[in-house]
Amino acid sequence: MVSTYARDPGDPDAPYLSFWRERHLCTLTTVRADGTPHVVPVGVTYDPGARLARVITSGTSAKARHVRAAGPEGAPVAVCQVEGRRWATLEGRAFVRSEPERVTEAERRYAERYRAPRPNPSRVVIEIELTGALGSA
């Protein structure tokens, strides 16, 4: 049975995309080495054309360590946001990227949705290659 909440992460409908453009705090769920979930608040940007979600963070953060530990296949992750009865989740494989052009692009998108990020010379971007999307938005 197909969920009535399922979305195409590369071709979302207008209300879903609009919800992801509003300023909302999100959560990122990664998996620790022992298999337990690690859920933290983050800012997320969504780029359906590239089928990517991006999270900026310090390269030494637990979330970056969890993603790196998953190896070259990437880490299974989910990002989610909620406001009242509206909710939206993006799922995929995450990779830590440190290339300056990728970090700069992530910072630019973050500034558009939230505010200019503070300087951080150890910043990386967690890029999530999207495989699924769900939501009521």
Side-chain angles (χ1 to χ4, degrees):
M1 179 174 178
V2 175
S3 168
T4 58
Y5 296 112
R7 303 283 196 275
D8 177 350
D11 188 24
D13 61 32
Y16 191 82
L17 184 57
S18 177
F19 187 44
W20 276 106
R21 290 187 172 148
E22 295 171 11
R23 188 180 194 280
H24 294 289
L25 187 61
C26 303
T27 60
L28 168 68
T29 303
T30 59
V31 180
R32 297 181 182 102
D34 68 2
T36 60
H38 177 257
V39 183
V40 293
V42 294
V44 175
T45 61
Y46 175 30
D47 180 357
R51 293 182 73 96
L52 286 176
R54 295 175 178 92
V55 175
I56 58 174
T57 188
S58 174
T60 60
S61 68
K63 55 188 157 289
R65 290 193 315 270
H66 297 156
V67 170
R68 279 193 196 99
E73 291 80 36
V77 301
V79 290
C80 185
Q81 65 181 19
V82 176
E83 180 189 55
R85 296 176 61 96
R86 294 188 307 162
W87 61 274
T89 299
L90 298 169
E91 302 169 335
R93 306 296 291 186
F95 302 87
V96 175
R97 309 292 192 198
S98 59
E99 298 89 343
E101 65 278 4
R102 289 180 185 244
V103 174
T104 298
E105 178 64 8
E107 289 171 333
R108 181 188 71 76
R109 289 174 178 275
Y110 182 93
E112 285 178 0
R113 187 173 188 202
Y114 298 101
R115 61 180 164 79
R118 64 177 169 70
N120 179 350
S122 66
R123 179 168 290 130
V124 297
V125 56
I126 296 173
E127 288 185 348
I128 304 164
E129 295 178 1
L130 300 174
T131 58
L134 300 166
S136 66

